[in-house]
mmCIF file of all heavy atoms in Angstrom:
data_model
loop_
_atom_site.group_PDB
_atom_site.id
_atom_site.type_symbol
_atom_site.label_atom_id
_atom_site.label_comp_id
_atom_site.label_asym_id
_atom_site.label_seq_id
_atom_site.Cartn_x
_atom_site.Cartn_y
_atom_site.Cartn_z
ATOM 1 N N GLY A 1 24.343 58.643 117.967
ATOM 2 C CA GLY A 1 24.449 57.533 118.889
ATOM 3 C C GLY A 1 24.754 57.980 120.305
ATOM 4 O O GLY A 1 24.633 57.199 121.249
ATOM 5 N N SER A 2 25.133 59.242 120.465
ATOM 6 C CA SER A 2 25.410 59.802 121.786
ATOM 7 C C SER A 2 24.111 60.229 122.455
ATOM 8 O O SER A 2 23.203 60.762 121.809
ATOM 9 C CB SER A 2 26.356 60.998 121.654
ATOM 10 O OG SER A 2 26.414 61.740 122.856
ATOM 11 N N ALA A 3 24.015 60.023 123.766
ATOM 12 C CA ALA A 3 22.828 60.450 124.515
ATOM 13 C C ALA A 3 22.714 61.961 124.589
ATOM 14 O O ALA A 3 21.632 62.511 124.827
ATOM 15 C CB ALA A 3 22.874 59.865 125.935
ATOM 16 N N LEU A 4 23.826 62.645 124.374
ATOM 17 C CA LEU A 4 23.846 64.098 124.455
ATOM 18 C C LEU A 4 23.399 64.770 123.163
ATOM 19 O O LEU A 4 22.870 65.884 123.190
ATOM 20 C CB LEU A 4 25.265 64.565 124.827
ATOM 21 C CG LEU A 4 25.497 66.047 125.098
ATOM 22 C CD1 LEU A 4 24.614 66.547 126.235
ATOM 23 C CD2 LEU A 4 26.964 66.301 125.425
ATOM 24 N N SER A 5 23.592 64.107 122.031
ATOM 25 C CA SER A 5 23.325 64.726 120.731
ATOM 26 C C SER A 5 21.877 65.177 120.536
ATOM 27 O O SER A 5 21.642 66.284 120.041
ATOM 28 C CB SER A 5 23.741 63.774 119.611
ATOM 29 O OG SER A 5 25.142 63.586 119.606
ATOM 30 N N PRO A 6 20.847 64.358 120.886
ATOM 31 C CA PRO A 6 19.466 64.837 120.706
ATOM 32 C C PRO A 6 19.161 66.108 121.487
ATOM 33 O O PRO A 6 18.460 66.995 120.990
ATOM 34 C CB PRO A 6 18.616 63.659 121.206
ATOM 35 C CG PRO A 6 19.499 62.466 121.081
ATOM 36 C CD PRO A 6 20.879 62.962 121.348
ATOM 37 N N VAL A 7 19.694 66.219 122.708
ATOM 38 C CA VAL A 7 19.453 67.418 123.516
ATOM 39 C C VAL A 7 20.139 68.628 122.903
ATOM 40 O O VAL A 7 19.556 69.716 122.799
ATOM 41 C CB VAL A 7 19.930 67.190 124.962
ATOM 42 C CG1 VAL A 7 19.632 68.413 125.820
ATOM 43 C CG2 VAL A 7 19.280 65.959 125.565
ATOM 44 N N LEU A 8 21.393 68.456 122.476
ATOM 45 C CA LEU A 8 22.109 69.561 121.837
ATOM 46 C C LEU A 8 21.433 69.976 120.532
ATOM 47 O O LEU A 8 21.385 71.171 120.208
ATOM 48 C CB LEU A 8 23.567 69.162 121.579
ATOM 49 C CG LEU A 8 24.453 68.954 122.804
ATOM 50 C CD1 LEU A 8 25.863 68.547 122.389
ATOM 51 C CD2 LEU A 8 24.497 70.201 123.676
ATOM 52 N N ALA A 9 20.914 69.011 119.794
ATOM 53 C CA ALA A 9 20.200 69.327 118.551
ATOM 54 C C ALA A 9 18.975 70.187 118.831
ATOM 55 O O ALA A 9 18.707 71.161 118.128
ATOM 56 C CB ALA A 9 19.799 68.033 117.844
ATOM 57 N N ASN A 10 18.217 69.828 119.870
ATOM 58 C CA ASN A 10 17.043 70.614 120.236
ATOM 59 C C ASN A 10 17.426 72.030 120.673
ATOM 60 O O ASN A 10 16.724 72.998 120.376
ATOM 61 C CB ASN A 10 16.268 69.920 121.358
ATOM 62 C CG ASN A 10 15.093 69.105 120.838
ATOM 63 O OD1 ASN A 10 14.711 69.205 119.676
ATOM 64 N ND2 ASN A 10 14.517 68.299 121.709
ATOM 65 N N ILE A 11 18.536 72.157 121.390
ATOM 66 C CA ILE A 11 18.983 73.473 121.864
ATOM 67 C C ILE A 11 19.369 74.363 120.686
ATOM 68 O O ILE A 11 19.015 75.540 120.636
ATOM 69 C CB ILE A 11 20.155 73.314 122.849
ATOM 70 C CG1 ILE A 11 19.669 72.624 124.134
ATOM 71 C CG2 ILE A 11 20.775 74.661 123.183
ATOM 72 C CD1 ILE A 11 20.795 72.243 125.082
ATOM 73 N N LEU A 12 20.099 73.788 119.731
ATOM 74 C CA LEU A 12 20.503 74.573 118.558
ATOM 75 C C LEU A 12 19.296 74.927 117.695
ATOM 76 O O LEU A 12 19.142 76.079 117.272
ATOM 77 C CB LEU A 12 21.533 73.799 117.741
ATOM 78 C CG LEU A 12 22.022 74.483 116.457
ATOM 79 C CD1 LEU A 12 22.731 75.800 116.781
ATOM 80 C CD2 LEU A 12 22.947 73.566 115.660
ATOM 81 N N LEU A 13 18.434 73.943 117.433
ATOM 82 C CA LEU A 13 17.279 74.189 116.573
ATOM 83 C C LEU A 13 16.206 75.017 117.262
ATOM 84 O O LEU A 13 15.278 75.482 116.605
ATOM 85 C CB LEU A 13 16.695 72.858 116.089
ATOM 86 C CG LEU A 13 17.594 72.089 115.103
ATOM 87 C CD1 LEU A 13 16.987 70.735 114.763
ATOM 88 C CD2 LEU A 13 17.806 72.905 113.828
ATOM 89 N N ASN A 14 16.317 75.194 118.571
ATOM 90 C CA ASN A 14 15.419 76.113 119.257
ATOM 91 C C ASN A 14 15.625 77.545 118.751
ATOM 92 O O ASN A 14 14.696 78.359 118.765
ATOM 93 C CB ASN A 14 15.642 76.045 120.768
ATOM 94 C CG ASN A 14 14.618 76.856 121.548
ATOM 95 O OD1 ASN A 14 13.423 76.733 121.375
ATOM 96 N ND2 ASN A 14 15.120 77.724 122.413
ATOM 97 N N GLU A 15 16.848 77.842 118.309
ATOM 98 C CA GLU A 15 17.106 79.135 117.682
ATOM 99 C C GLU A 15 16.290 79.288 116.404
ATOM 100 O O GLU A 15 15.800 80.374 116.094
ATOM 101 C CB GLU A 15 18.600 79.273 117.367
ATOM 102 C CG GLU A 15 19.511 79.205 118.582
ATOM 103 C CD GLU A 15 19.344 80.399 119.495
ATOM 104 O OE1 GLU A 15 19.492 81.540 118.995
ATOM 105 O OE2 GLU A 15 19.058 80.198 120.709
ATOM 106 N N LEU A 16 16.146 78.180 115.678
ATOM 107 C CA LEU A 16 15.311 78.183 114.477
ATOM 108 C C LEU A 16 13.837 78.309 114.838
ATOM 109 O O LEU A 16 13.082 79.017 114.162
ATOM 110 C CB LEU A 16 15.560 76.909 113.676
ATOM 111 C CG LEU A 16 14.635 76.616 112.487
ATOM 112 C CD1 LEU A 16 14.709 77.735 111.450
ATOM 113 C CD2 LEU A 16 14.985 75.269 111.847
ATOM 114 N N ASP A 17 13.413 77.658 115.912
ATOM 115 C CA ASP A 17 12.013 77.722 116.333
ATOM 116 C C ASP A 17 11.585 79.147 116.695
ATOM 117 O O ASP A 17 10.432 79.528 116.495
ATOM 118 C CB ASP A 17 11.776 76.800 117.527
ATOM 119 C CG ASP A 17 12.018 75.333 117.199
ATOM 120 O OD1 ASP A 17 12.025 74.992 116.000
ATOM 121 O OD2 ASP A 17 12.224 74.535 118.135
ATOM 122 N N GLN A 18 12.508 79.916 117.254
ATOM 123 C CA GLN A 18 12.166 81.273 117.680
ATOM 124 C C GLN A 18 11.816 82.173 116.496
ATOM 125 O O GLN A 18 11.047 83.122 116.647
ATOM 126 C CB GLN A 18 13.330 81.883 118.469
ATOM 127 C CG GLN A 18 13.753 81.079 119.699
ATOM 128 C CD GLN A 18 12.610 80.797 120.638
ATOM 129 O OE1 GLN A 18 11.776 81.670 120.924
ATOM 130 N NE2 GLN A 18 12.534 79.567 121.138
ATOM 131 N N GLU A 19 12.379 81.875 115.325
ATOM 132 C CA GLU A 19 12.129 82.710 114.152
ATOM 133 C C GLU A 19 10.679 82.624 113.685
ATOM 134 O O GLU A 19 10.008 83.653 113.568
ATOM 135 C CB GLU A 19 13.104 82.339 113.031
ATOM 136 C CG GLU A 19 13.037 83.219 111.792
ATOM 137 C CD GLU A 19 13.487 84.639 112.029
ATOM 138 O OE1 GLU A 19 14.054 84.928 113.121
ATOM 139 O OE2 GLU A 19 13.257 85.493 111.146
ATOM 140 N N PRO A 20 10.111 81.434 113.393
ATOM 141 C CA PRO A 20 8.687 81.396 113.034
ATOM 142 C C PRO A 20 7.770 81.790 114.188
ATOM 143 O O PRO A 20 6.686 82.338 113.960
ATOM 144 C CB PRO A 20 8.468 79.933 112.614
ATOM 145 C CG PRO A 20 9.604 79.167 113.188
ATOM 146 C CD PRO A 20 10.749 80.120 113.262
ATOM 147 N N ASP A 21 8.180 81.518 115.438
ATOM 148 C CA ASP A 21 7.381 81.955 116.586
ATOM 149 C C ASP A 21 7.278 83.476 116.619
ATOM 150 O O ASP A 21 6.203 84.043 116.883
ATOM 151 C CB ASP A 21 8.000 81.446 117.887
ATOM 152 C CG ASP A 21 7.440 80.097 118.319
ATOM 153 O OD1 ASP A 21 6.366 79.719 117.814
ATOM 154 O OD2 ASP A 21 8.082 79.420 119.162
ATOM 155 N N ARG A 22 8.386 84.139 116.352
ATOM 156 C CA ARG A 22 8.418 85.599 116.354
ATOM 157 C C ARG A 22 7.516 86.184 115.271
ATOM 158 O O ARG A 22 6.904 87.239 115.456
ATOM 159 C CB ARG A 22 9.849 86.082 116.157
ATOM 160 C CG ARG A 22 10.058 87.583 116.195
ATOM 161 C CD ARG A 22 11.523 87.930 115.979
ATOM 162 N NE ARG A 22 11.994 87.485 114.691
ATOM 163 C CZ ARG A 22 11.790 88.161 113.541
ATOM 164 N NH1 ARG A 22 11.107 89.305 113.550
ATOM 165 N NH2 ARG A 22 12.271 87.675 112.398
ATOM 166 N N ARG A 23 7.399 85.459 114.143
ATOM 167 C CA ARG A 23 6.604 85.937 113.013
ATOM 168 C C ARG A 23 5.174 85.410 113.034
ATOM 169 O O ARG A 23 4.400 85.685 112.120
ATOM 170 C CB ARG A 23 7.296 85.530 111.716
ATOM 171 C CG ARG A 23 8.680 86.131 111.563
ATOM 172 C CD ARG A 23 9.459 85.535 110.410
ATOM 173 N NE ARG A 23 8.766 85.702 109.145
ATOM 174 C CZ ARG A 23 9.258 85.293 107.982
ATOM 175 N NH1 ARG A 23 10.448 84.700 107.948
ATOM 176 N NH2 ARG A 23 8.575 85.474 106.871
ATOM 177 N N GLY A 24 4.827 84.636 114.060
ATOM 178 C CA GLY A 24 3.462 84.129 114.170
ATOM 179 C C GLY A 24 3.118 83.034 113.181
ATOM 180 O O GLY A 24 1.951 82.832 112.841
ATOM 181 N N LEU A 25 4.105 82.277 112.717
ATOM 182 C CA LEU A 25 3.879 81.202 111.763
ATOM 183 C C LEU A 25 3.499 79.920 112.480
ATOM 184 O O LEU A 25 3.811 79.720 113.660
ATOM 185 C CB LEU A 25 5.139 80.963 110.917
ATOM 186 C CG LEU A 25 5.622 82.151 110.076
ATOM 187 C CD1 LEU A 25 6.954 81.814 109.407
ATOM 188 C CD2 LEU A 25 4.586 82.523 109.015
ATOM 189 N N HIS A 26 2.812 79.048 111.770
ATOM 190 C CA HIS A 26 2.405 77.756 112.307
ATOM 191 C C HIS A 26 3.389 76.692 111.816
ATOM 192 O O HIS A 26 3.486 76.435 110.611
ATOM 193 C CB HIS A 26 0.985 77.407 111.848
ATOM 194 C CG HIS A 26 -0.051 78.349 112.363
ATOM 195 N ND1 HIS A 26 -0.218 79.625 111.850
ATOM 196 C CD2 HIS A 26 -0.976 78.223 113.352
ATOM 197 C CE1 HIS A 26 -1.205 80.225 112.501
ATOM 198 N NE2 HIS A 26 -1.672 79.405 113.418
ATOM 199 N N PHE A 27 4.100 76.073 112.723
ATOM 200 C CA PHE A 27 5.118 75.100 112.341
ATOM 201 C C PHE A 27 5.130 73.930 113.316
ATOM 202 O O PHE A 27 4.668 74.021 114.458
ATOM 203 C CB PHE A 27 6.511 75.749 112.296
ATOM 204 C CG PHE A 27 7.121 75.980 113.651
ATOM 205 C CD1 PHE A 27 8.049 75.092 114.168
ATOM 206 C CD2 PHE A 27 6.754 77.078 114.416
ATOM 207 C CE1 PHE A 27 8.595 75.288 115.428
ATOM 208 C CE2 PHE A 27 7.304 77.290 115.672
ATOM 209 C CZ PHE A 27 8.230 76.396 116.177
ATOM 210 N N ILE A 28 5.667 72.815 112.843
ATOM 211 C CA ILE A 28 5.857 71.622 113.661
ATOM 212 C C ILE A 28 7.265 71.102 113.368
ATOM 213 O O ILE A 28 7.630 70.930 112.196
ATOM 214 C CB ILE A 28 4.824 70.517 113.334
ATOM 215 C CG1 ILE A 28 3.405 71.069 113.406
ATOM 216 C CG2 ILE A 28 5.004 69.332 114.260
ATOM 217 C CD1 ILE A 28 2.855 71.512 112.070
ATOM 218 N N ARG A 29 8.014 70.860 114.416
ATOM 219 C CA ARG A 29 9.372 70.335 114.234
ATOM 220 C C ARG A 29 9.567 69.106 115.111
ATOM 221 O O ARG A 29 9.243 69.116 116.284
ATOM 222 C CB ARG A 29 10.436 71.380 114.585
ATOM 223 C CG ARG A 29 11.877 70.862 114.360
ATOM 224 C CD ARG A 29 12.919 71.911 114.722
ATOM 225 N NE ARG A 29 12.887 72.261 116.127
ATOM 226 C CZ ARG A 29 13.436 71.516 117.095
ATOM 227 N NH1 ARG A 29 14.044 70.381 116.816
ATOM 228 N NH2 ARG A 29 13.356 71.923 118.350
ATOM 229 N N TYR A 30 10.100 68.066 114.498
ATOM 230 C CA TYR A 30 10.509 66.872 115.225
ATOM 231 C C TYR A 30 11.956 66.605 114.861
ATOM 232 O O TYR A 30 12.257 66.221 113.715
ATOM 233 C CB TYR A 30 9.634 65.672 114.866
ATOM 234 C CG TYR A 30 9.908 64.456 115.721
ATOM 235 C CD1 TYR A 30 9.138 64.195 116.847
ATOM 236 C CD2 TYR A 30 10.952 63.583 115.422
ATOM 237 C CE1 TYR A 30 9.392 63.086 117.638
ATOM 238 C CE2 TYR A 30 11.221 62.493 116.209
ATOM 239 C CZ TYR A 30 10.434 62.237 117.311
ATOM 240 O OH TYR A 30 10.701 61.153 118.106
ATOM 241 N N ALA A 31 12.859 66.855 115.820
ATOM 242 C CA ALA A 31 14.307 66.755 115.548
ATOM 243 C C ALA A 31 14.645 67.690 114.391
ATOM 244 O O ALA A 31 14.360 68.885 114.461
ATOM 245 C CB ALA A 31 14.716 65.315 115.288
ATOM 246 N N ASP A 32 15.197 67.164 113.292
ATOM 247 C CA ASP A 32 15.555 68.024 112.165
ATOM 248 C C ASP A 32 14.509 68.012 111.059
ATOM 249 O O ASP A 32 14.760 68.526 109.967
ATOM 250 C CB ASP A 32 16.915 67.612 111.598
ATOM 251 C CG ASP A 32 16.946 66.147 111.147
ATOM 252 O OD1 ASP A 32 16.168 65.339 111.690
ATOM 253 O OD2 ASP A 32 17.743 65.805 110.253
#
């Protein structure tokens, strides 16, 4: 419900995005 939470979620999960990007995997993420 906080306006800050979606942005913080994207910042944290960006760490997860870097892993398949590094390995050349095809992925799609929307929030969690």
